[in-house]
Amino acid sequence: MNPIFYFLTLTAVLAATVNGGGPVLDSKGHLIFRGSYYVIPRIFGAAGGGLNLVPRGDKQCPLYIGHETLEVNMGIPVKFSNWISRVGFVPESADLNIMMDVKATTCAQSNYWWVSPSAKDSKTWFIAAGPKPKTEEDESMTSFQIRKTGDSLKGYKIVYCPKSKSCINVGILKDKSGVRRLALSSKPFPVVFVKAT
């Protein structure tokens, strides 16, 4: 490869590190760019597989971000967008949008991640699929960050960061039927990112 490419990449990594966290890396240690990535538990096995879209209860829409129960199911990949820094890769601890990378669903909506309150419990907030955020108010319901888990096993956690408030972990909530959904939680869902495209 061209030495200038390596120089520019190193310069961008150093700039991102100074302005916040370093770059987010995939499971092979490569920088995450604008492609698609599977989000899977950092420990393979009983923790389940990747992410999917699931209805809630008997209503088919809206769809919520679910979690495959079987580790062999990679699920649907995600794409990251709208981070503020001017680097080409996804930086740690930067506000960004997350979108399920699937073309069509049964619901007439996009697949951006939104924080959505439960209709039954005001303390429970799920991660739902919704339209592309357009306003500042929309951004406050769709602003996520990727952070290191901070333990010896390595990996990342996704957090929801409402504007000017503390960030809250995105974890997994299992309902009475055994369906796993992403929800705001005190316990994070430790993950790694596997390149899809």
Side-chain angles (χ1 to χ4, degrees):
M1 281 219 165
N2 187 335
I4 293 175
F5 172 78
Y6 286 116
F7 173 75
L8 292 174
T9 301
L10 178 61
T11 303
V13 169
L14 291 174
T17 304
V18 169
N19 293 332
V24 177
L25 304 176
D26 69 14
S27 59
K28 293 187 176 183
H30 300 132
L31 297 174
I32 291 184
F33 290 97
R34 294 193 185 273
S36 295
Y37 295 84
Y38 293 104
V39 180
I40 60 170
R42 72 173 171 193
I43 298 174
F44 184 80
L51 303 179
N52 59 17
L53 291 166
V54 294
R56 190 154 177 268
D58 57 353
K59 297 180 181 175
Q60 289 300 310
C61 296
L63 293 172
Y64 292 82
I65 311 304
H67 178 234
E68 296 280 357
T69 55
L70 298 174
E71 69 274 4
V72 294
N73 293 336
M74 295 293 281
I76 301 169
V78 301
K79 284 187 172 184
F80 305 104
S81 63
N82 208 28
W83 58 89
I84 303 280
S85 76
R86 296 193 175 149
V87 295
F89 56 83
V90 176
E92 288 176 28
S93 302
D95 290 343
L96 50 79
N97 296 130
I98 303 174
M99 181 183 90
M100 301 300 281
D101 191 18
V102 61
K103 298 293 181 223
T105 67
T106 56
C107 302
Q109 64 188 33
S110 296
N111 295 307
Y112 282 84
W113 287 22
W114 284 71
V115 174
S116 174
S118 168
K120 295 180 181 177
D121 178 7
S122 62
K123 294 180 183 178
T124 303
W125 290 72
F126 291 103
I127 310 302
K132 182 176 183 176
K134 294 180 180 171
T135 67
E136 198 169 309
E137 186 178 336
D138 289 351
E139 288 291 335
S140 71
M141 299 301 285
T142 60
S143 184
F144 296 89
Q145 293 183 7
I146 300 169
R147 296 183 176 176
K148 286 184 179 169
T149 55
D151 58 24
S152 62
L153 295 176
K154 297 189 181 177
Y156 295 96
K157 64 181 180 176
I158 298 172
V159 295
Y160 164 64
C161 299
K163 301 296 182 196
S164 72
K165 295 185 179 175
S166 299
C167 294
I168 306 161
N169 291 318
V170 173
I172 295 193
L173 187 67
K174 190 174 178 182
D175 70 14
K176 293 180 231 173
S177 305
V179 177
R180 299 176 182 185
R181 289 182 186 81
L182 296 192
L184 300 185
S185 172
S186 59
K187 184 179 178 185
F189 173 40
V191 298
V192 293
F193 303 103
V194 176
K195 187 161 179 58
T197 60

